[in-house]
Each structure stands twice: as C-alpha cells, then as structure tokens.
Amino acid sequence: MAEIINMPKLGFDMAEGVLVRWVKNVGETIQKGDVLAEIETDKATVEVESAFSGVVLQQLVDPGTSVPVNDPIAVVGEEGEKVEGLTAQVEKKPSQGGSQKPADEPQSEEPDAEKAEQPAQSKTAADPSDMLKASPLARKVARDKGVDLGAVVGTGPGGRIVRRDVDAALAAGQKADPQKAEKSSSGPTNIEYSNIADETIQTTKLRQAIGRRLVESKSTIPHFYLTHEYKLEALLDLRKQLNGYLPEGEKLSLNDFVLKAVALSLREFPNLNATLSGDKIIRKGEVNVGVAVTVPGGLMTVVVKNTDQKPLRVISSEVKAMAARARDGKVKPEDVDGSTFSTSNLGMYDVEDFIAIINPPEAAILAISSAREVPVVENGQLKIGWRMKVTISVDHRISDGAEAAQFMQALAKYLEEPVRMLV
C-alpha cells in the first residue's frame, strides 16, 4: 500500500523546511530508515529518513521548494502501484502551513524577505559574488569549499544558485579565484583606518531563528538566576583514572560528567524537567538533556535521550557523534528534537561565569563555566583548589528560588562525590 512521506517537524517552532535535494529518485528502492532527501531548516541541513520500505513512486515537490511542516513531499509504495487517487487527495488537501513557494520567493509574513534576497549595498564597490542570487546554504558551502560563485550556473528557481550547483562546480574541479584568496590571506599594509568602510552581511536563517526564539524567551519568560561553585578535585581525579582505561577517541570530557549529574538531579526535581501549558505544569517522563553546540553561523542544541539511564561512556559517544553531524550540517531529526532541559558549556573558552537564556518551552537551562585552579579557604587554611561556577536560569512561573537552590545542592552531591554516578 502506498504511503505518503511528509515534511517532518524538527522542534516546536519549525514552520517549514526547504527541500534541498532528493537522495532517492523515482523508481529507486528504499528501506525504512534510508535517507530520502535533504532539507534545510532554520537550524541546519537535515537528512530525512523514510518511514516506510518500498519504491519511491512520486516526488511531490521540486528541489529548492519551501514546504510547510506535515505537508506531503513524496509517495513510497510497491513497484508498479497506482497512486493517482492518493495524489489527487493530497492536491485537494489544504496546506497546514500555507501554499508551497520556491524558497527564494518573498513570503507574505516576512515583508523584508525581498530585500534580503538583494545584495547589501555599500558606498564601496561590492564583491561581484555578492550580486548573485544564491541561497544562504549555497553561499556557505561555496565559502567553506573555496568555490567562486561567479563561475557557477544557477539551476534553482529564477536562476538562483543552490547547493547542488556548488557541488557540481566542485565535482568539475572548480577552484576559488586565486586573487580573492590572496587578497583575503595577505595581511593589510599601510591601513588608513578612517577609510575602512562598514560591512553589511545578511544573517543566516539559523541566526534569525536564534534571534526570534531568544527575544521571545527573554520577553515572555520571567527568568531568575542562581550560581553555585563546585569543588572538582574528586571529579578530575576520577576522570583521569577512567580515561586511563579508554582509547584516545573515547576519553570522557568534564562535560560528560556534568550531563550525567544534571540528569540524575532532575529526577529528584521534576519541576525543572517540565514545560508550562496554560495553567498546567507538564512534568516530562523522560530526562532528555540538550547540549548547545557551536556551528557555523550560530549554535544548535543536540539532545541526549534518557540521559539519566545511560552510562558515561554512551553519553560521551553520542554527544561526539551528534556534535560532529551538527557541525557538518548533517544532523538527523532525532538529534535535535525532544530536549526537556538544556545546558550551555563555555568552559573551553576560559569563562569564569555567565548566564544562559532559557530554551522555550523548557523550564530551565544550565550555564557551565570553566574549571579553574584558584585560591580557596578550607578549615581556615589558604590553599589551591579546582573550582567551577555553574549558573541556572529558571522560569519563575514553574519553579522558585528555594527549589532551584536545592537542585544546585543535589548537583553538588554528584559532581563533588562523582562515584555516585557509577553505581
């Protein structure tokens, strides 16, 4: 029986996705779990897996088309199966998110979309590549791979350059303009600072999405913040011992221990593993801890499912794999969906203390700073110790200061006596 594949919804705020390219073509066999297509969302380029096995009978949208979530994109069924009746029903069905439009056409709900398509104008001569019509993804890939967009022929709607055009140019052996490369790599000499012009760049879809979400969060969620400083000597010693038994690519990071400790603490404080729905608090049954990952043009949150039930080694391997896919623009839908509590770790940047903005609709987020060797006083004696500051941001509609403080104390139980995480 023929089945319809819909545009998946990746995150509660996703409204549509751009179908970048088909991985499987009409007539090809596909198994459940195989990659059917690549879509571009506000967060990244994501591989869409087929929920059914069979043959690709029909592709319902063209590459470069923006499709609302839950709208049909393909039909999978048995070889030779007739799908006319099924596709007729699809065509009559009203779109749940608006009509399909090419990704580079201005949308009515975004009045500045047409302006965004035009290259930024400055008082100085613009780079010729900035005058071309190209998708943000195509520009990024061209920039990363060193492809001169001026020599690429666009095959997207209206002659727009899309990612497949850049990939085709790479396959043909096209290289970056050496003059541009020399210009960008050579250091400036005899700079007249008064003559340096302003630079205007178009924000990426990811950066725009981050802006919308965080403005909504800060303007609608009453945040409050608590900071706790943790002793890390025991944790660092245990980590050193465990890593002595692990191969180089599987060694545990400090963040792996923090994620496990957070998950175990959330089991004791379910109000912080919750969302608000009207006048009701929904305490989540699963503890799925999100991890903020830096990617080109912004950041995204990958999710470790059932973090409280997984051993440290599994948590570590999953975070490494998902972070690598995120940075390569190849995240899977399950990588970024379903978080119930988020963490943001800037410890690798020698940050003493910071606060994070809640990732709606979650109740809280944890900001993790650097582990630092600092002077401390214990039992009236001055000594050197390892300390780490952690700040929790909490939605005051869901929880209060006393409960959040108790959560931070519970976290200390695991971070300062880390053997608890192993039993």
Side-chain angles (χ1 to χ4, degrees):
M1 178 180 177
E3 301 285 355
I4 294 176
I5 307 294
N6 295 324
M7 173 65 70
K9 183 176 179 65
L10 310 175
F12 83 101
D13 64 333
M14 177 179 167
E16 61 184 12
V18 177
L19 196 143
V20 178
R21 74 181 183 96
W22 290 105
V23 177
K24 293 286 188 178
N25 295 314
V26 173
E28 291 188 278
T29 301
I30 190 168
Q31 300 297 322
K32 182 178 180 180
D34 286 353
V35 177
L36 173 66
E38 289 183 358
I39 63 170
E40 182 183 15
T41 73
D42 286 343
K43 297 179 179 179
T45 300
V46 182
E47 295 178 337
V48 178
E49 298 178 354
S50 176
F52 311 100
S53 297
V55 173
V56 180
L57 300 177
Q58 193 167 1
Q59 296 170 344
L60 302 177
V61 296
D62 296 326
T65 301
S66 181
V67 184
V69 297
N70 297 324
D71 271 20
I73 60 173
V75 180
V76 173
E78 297 179 3
E79 186 173 2
E81 187 174 357
K82 302 298 183 182
V83 296
E84 286 81 0
L86 184 63
T87 55
Q89 294 177 18
V90 169
E91 292 171 359
K92 292 179 180 178
K93 179 182 175 181
S95 170
Q96 299 181 25
S99 59
Q100 295 180 2
K101 297 182 181 180
D104 57 327
E105 283 189 13
Q107 305 292 318
S108 59
E109 65 272 21
E110 297 180 3
D112 291 334
E114 185 174 0
K115 295 179 182 179
E117 180 63 38
Q118 300 302 321
Q121 301 294 328
S122 66
K123 294 181 180 179
T124 59
D127 188 316
S129 65
D130 292 337
M131 304 296 292
L132 299 169
K133 289 181 65 177
S135 71
L137 180 61
R139 290 187 185 277
K140 175 187 176 301
V141 174
R143 182 172 61 252
D144 293 346
K145 302 295 185 180
V147 174
D148 181 8
L149 285 178
V152 177
V153 177
T155 62
R160 190 186 200 205
I161 298 173
V162 293
R163 178 177 178 172
R164 64 172 178 270
D165 302 324
V166 179
D167 292 339
L170 281 170
Q174 198 228 103
K175 303 296 182 182
D177 186 335
Q179 292 183 350
K180 289 185 179 180
E182 182 180 353
K183 179 180 179 181
S184 61
S185 61
S186 60
T189 57
N190 299 324
I191 298 177
E192 296 182 10
Y193 290 97
S194 60
N195 293 333
I196 297 178
D198 293 343
E199 181 183 10
T200 302
I201 59 174
Q202 176 62 37
T203 55
T204 62
K205 292 182 67 177
L206 174 59
R207 177 55 60 190
Q208 293 167 17
I210 292 171
R212 288 194 302 269
R213 287 173 60 83
L214 298 188
V215 167
E216 175 192 356
S217 178
K218 284 292 284 184
S219 59
T220 62
I221 297 177
H223 289 56
F224 73 87
Y225 314 98
L226 294 176
T227 300
H228 191 108
E229 188 173 65
Y230 296 95
K231 302 176 183 179
L232 291 186
E233 286 84 2
L235 178 53
L236 293 175
D237 183 59
L238 177 62
R239 175 178 174 245
K240 182 178 180 180
Q241 293 181 53
L242 295 177
N243 280 341
Y245 297 101
L246 297 174
E248 187 62 35
E250 299 179 20
K251 295 189 184 299
L252 302 173
S253 70
L254 181 58
N255 194 58
D256 299 328
F257 288 90
V258 174
L259 295 178
K260 178 70 172 182
V262 165
L264 294 173
S265 300
L266 286 172
R267 275 297 177 205
E268 301 179 37
F269 295 90
N271 268 358
L272 298 178
N273 191 59
T275 62
L276 189 66
S277 178
D279 58 356
K280 295 181 176 62
I281 295 174
I282 302 174
R283 293 176 173 177
K284 298 295 185 177
E286 295 183 348
V287 178
N288 302 331
V289 180
V291 183
V293 175
T294 302
V295 297
L299 72 155
M300 70 174 63
T301 300
V302 298
V303 185
V304 181
K305 305 292 174 56
N306 298 305
T307 320
D308 57 321
Q309 302 176 40
K310 292 177 177 175
L312 286 162
R313 194 172 180 180
V314 174
I315 292 172
S316 179
S317 64
E318 288 189 4
V319 171
K320 288 185 177 75
M322 290 187 293
R325 288 195 292 268
R327 295 188 178 105
D328 291 340
K330 297 293 184 182
V331 293
K332 298 180 179 180
E334 58 268 26
D335 290 349
V336 295
D337 190 34
S339 64
T340 61
F341 184 99
S342 292
T343 63
S344 179
N345 192 336
L346 294 179
M348 65 290 295
Y349 299 112
D350 194 24
V351 172
E352 181 179 2
D353 192 16
F354 76 105
I355 61 175
I357 301 173
I358 295 172
N359 184 24
E362 296 166 16
I365 187 172
L366 205 67
I368 305 154
S369 302
S370 302
R372 302 163 69 91
E373 204 170 15
V374 296
V376 297
V377 177
E378 288 188 358
N379 301 320
Q381 299 294 318
L382 182 65
K383 56 180 289 188
I384 300 298
W386 283 94
R387 298 293 184 268
M388 179 178 71
K389 290 182 180 179
V390 174
T391 299
I392 190 169
S393 307
V394 183
D395 185 340
H396 219 323
R397 300 171 301 176
I398 299 177
S399 183
D400 299 307
E403 183 173 45
Q406 291 168 352
F407 169 83
M408 299 295 269
Q409 288 178 326
L411 193 58
K413 179 175 62 178
Y414 295 105
L415 293 179
E416 297 181 2
E417 301 175 63
V419 71
R420 292 174 179 268
M421 289 185 270
L422 305 181
V423 297

